[in-house]
Amino acid sequence: MSFVFVSGNLALDLAGTRKWRRTEPEELLATPDDLAQWFAEAGEFTDGIVVDDETLHGALTLREAVYRLASARLAGERFAKRDLAVVNDLAARPGMRVALSARGVTKSGDAQAALADVARAAVDVLADDTVSMKECGRPSCTRIYLDRSRGARRTWCGMDECGNRVKAAAYRARKRAAVDED
């Protein structure tokens, strides 16, 4: 499995590991190995993080709390206290250790430290009112992303998965309409 990192924030990318929430939800983190793979593909953590069932459960709890908090922000609603508690509890824990070496920055730590870093990423993005946060414009997609485009005009979470499909569908609809007019 290969994960997509298009949200512009690690916590929002974690929230995106449950796809199509309103239609037919697809779980991308079904096993501890899936989460270990997500950590590896994120490129922010030590390679080979070992994940157990308890850590997977914690990651899924964090993911859902982040998604609900981001959705509340988008809707202009208050944050739920239980979701704040989940994020704040994990964010308060020790994160990955960072060291400078001749080859650059190295990070070390376990899966719990990695989750703490993801929780801190959630705190950073959810507390920043200056960043434009949006939900993907593809009707079936529920990914939340940061819009850093000029004029904040980005419509889709990413072109590969959603943008191209929406544009192709619009093209086919225009072609059908043109044929129907003839």
Side-chain angles (χ1 to χ4, degrees):
M1 176 181 299
S2 186
F3 294 96
V4 178
F5 297 88
V6 296
S7 297
N9 176 275
L10 203 53
L12 295 178
D13 283 325
L14 179 65
T17 61
R18 181 151 193 215
K19 298 169 62 175
W20 326 119
R21 290 170 182 266
R22 286 188 291 274
T23 54
E24 295 179 35
E26 181 182 343
E27 178 60 69
L28 301 181
L29 299 178
T31 69
D33 288 342
D34 294 338
L35 180 58
Q37 183 66 30
W38 185 86
F39 283 138
E41 289 184 26
E44 296 286 323
F45 308 106
T46 305
D47 287 338
I49 289 179
V50 177
V51 177
D52 58 16
D53 288 331
E54 181 181 337
T55 304
L56 175 62
H57 176 73
L60 297 178
T61 301
L62 174 62
R63 177 189 69 189
E64 296 308 308
V66 168
Y67 183 79
R68 286 188 298 266
L69 291 167
S71 295
R73 178 176 162 186
L74 289 173
E77 299 171 353
R78 296 176 60 96
F79 292 151
K81 289 181 183 180
R82 66 186 164 97
D83 294 330
L84 288 172
V86 167
V87 170
N88 289 332
D89 177 56
L90 278 169
R93 296 179 186 180
M96 300 293 282
R97 290 175 298 284
V98 180
L100 180 62
S101 70
R103 288 185 243 143
V105 175
T106 59
K107 295 183 178 185
S108 60
D110 61 10
Q112 291 299 318
L115 285 180
D117 283 0
V118 174
R120 277 191 281 286
V123 169
D124 289 343
V125 74
L126 292 167
D128 187 352
D129 290 335
T130 65
V131 61
S132 177
M133 188 182 296
K134 295 181 178 178
E135 186 174 66
C136 184
R138 184 176 177 197
S140 60
C141 184
T142 55
R143 185 181 301 274
I144 297 172
Y145 65 92
L146 302 181
D147 184 356
R148 293 188 173 116
S149 67
R150 185 183 307 207
R153 291 180 286 174
R154 185 172 155 192
T155 306
W156 305 288
C157 62
M159 283 303 292
D160 289 343
E161 191 162 1
C162 290
N164 285 338
R165 290 181 182 169
V166 170
K167 286 183 172 191
Y171 174 78
R172 287 190 300 273
R174 285 192 308 274
K175 285 295 198 181
R176 278 192 303 273
V179 168
D180 291 344
E181 287 178 2
D182 291 339

